[in-house]
Amino acid sequence: MTESASPALASSMAIEDAAVLFRKAQRVVVLTGAGISTPSGIPDFRSEGSGLWSRDEPMEVASLNTFRTAPERFFNWFQPLAGQIFNAQPNAAHFALAEFENSGHLQTIITQNIDALHQKAGSKHVVEMHGTLRTVSCTNCFKQFESAPFLQPYIEAGKIPQCLSCNGILKPDVILFGEQLPQAAWVEAQRAAQRCDLMLVAGSSLEVLPVAGLPMQALDRGAHLIILNNTPTYLNVRADVVIMDDVAATLPEIAKRVLHG
Ligand SMILES: [Zn+2]
């Protein structure tokens, strides 16, 4: 790239470079974070300035400890976010990844998101590192339910979800601060990272451990790395291609070149 290249041209060259890596790859793993869902209207509650951070300290209120000791505080804080997530629709980036998977260009999506937008877009093999809002589990008898019938009255009227069998409080199956990552998902994510020959990071700033370490595991096994994110990450220096732009704009462009020439 020369210094006189315009930003648009530089970005277009990077998109072509990413498409070339996709065409050559045999085993592709994609790691997605909050940035892929912000174009769908879901705020990144972990980042400052999202509004949710300033109202309450999420690491405190969205912690397992708060949920156990004062669940109504958690449910109060989570109510607007739950509404945004529940009503969100996948965007062009989610659909591009589903298209990659359905055409055999992508094996596994590892996501830090709890919004199930990948599944709504048609992706099938999704490893959810931080759990999901699609189901809730009883904190008393551990029975699991589809969350939709409970979320509606909670989102609209603040009704705390309660178990149909024992009246215990239902906890969304999302991983709270202070809670262990789901072991099976973590094992599967590491295996996928170590076996891939191309990892694409889409909309993650790679700040939340241990998931942020997965691209490093891929690099250590000789995989190529593409990073699409609107802010820098600690691995930009080691990536083959870096595109610092809106993932909902760039990912469909890459898919178009790979899938439709
Ligand atoms: Zn119960």
Side-chain angles (χ1 to χ4, degrees):
M1 195 191 313
T2 64
E3 278 179 35
S4 60
S6 73
L9 181 60
S11 165
S12 146
M13 288 163 71
I15 283 167
E16 184 52 36
D17 290 344
V20 168
L21 288 177
F22 253 96
R23 284 190 211 106
K24 283 196 292 200
Q26 303 288 313
R27 294 175 311 281
V28 178
V29 170
V30 178
L31 172 61
T32 66
I36 198 169
S37 292
T38 44
S40 290
I42 299 176
D44 177 4
F45 71 85
R46 288 170 199 268
S47 44
E48 284 185 70
S50 68
L52 291 158
W53 184 279
S54 48
R55 265 213 311 276
D56 259 306
E57 179 74 42
M59 290 180 84
E60 198 268 316
V61 74
S63 70
L64 189 60
N65 189 46
T66 298
F67 192 90
R68 281 182 177 148
T69 55
E72 68 287 351
R73 279 196 58 214
F74 167 82
F75 280 108
N76 272 337
W77 172 81
F78 192 55
Q79 195 180 349
L81 186 59
Q84 282 163 317
I85 294 173
F86 188 65
N87 295 311
Q89 295 305 319
N91 62 59
H94 296 104
F95 286 116
L97 291 182
E99 210 184 341
F100 271 132
E101 183 179 359
N102 292 332
S103 59
H105 286 84
L106 157 56
Q107 274 63 52
T108 306
I109 296 175
I110 302 167
T111 188
Q112 298 172 286
N113 301 333
I114 58 168
D115 52 39
L117 289 182
H118 289 301
Q119 291 92 333
K120 279 189 189 173
S123 289
K124 292 173 194 78
H125 193 195
V126 183
V127 183
E128 296 171 306
M129 294 310 305
H130 295 156
T132 176
L133 194 59
R134 283 176 301 164
T135 54
V136 290
S137 293
C138 179
T139 50
N140 184 49
C141 74
F142 306 110
K143 199 174 269 185
Q144 193 181 50
F145 302 91
E146 288 290 322
S147 57
F150 300 94
L151 285 182
Q152 207 75 45
Y154 162 54
I155 290 163
E156 283 163 17
K159 189 186 179 308
I160 291 180
Q162 280 182 289
C163 179
L164 299 178
S165 338
C166 79
N167 277 333
I169 290 178
L170 296 174
K171 176 186 168 294
D173 288 332
V174 300
I175 305 303
L176 300 178
F177 290 102
E179 197 168 3
Q180 293 279 323
L181 290 189
Q183 193 57 27
W186 177 235
V187 168
E188 192 179 357
Q190 288 187 91
R191 190 173 295 149
Q194 289 165 7
R195 286 182 182 170
C196 72
D197 57 0
L198 172 62
M199 181 172 283
L200 165 70
V201 174
S204 174
S205 305
L206 300 178
E207 283 168 348
V208 183
L209 288 168
V211 177
L214 289 170
M216 190 62 99
Q217 296 192 22
L219 284 172
D220 287 346
R221 301 292 179 107
H224 289 288
L225 178 63
I226 301 170
I227 299 180
L228 309 181
N229 195 51
N230 56 12
T231 56
T233 78
Y234 80 102
L235 278 178
N236 279 23
V237 288
R238 293 199 52 192
D240 296 273
V241 178
V242 174
I243 304 177
M244 286 215 279
D245 204 342
D246 177 10
V247 65
T250 50
L251 199 42
E253 277 301 313
I254 297 170
K256 202 160 76 185
R257 300 211 189 184
V258 174
L259 303 171
H260 310 293

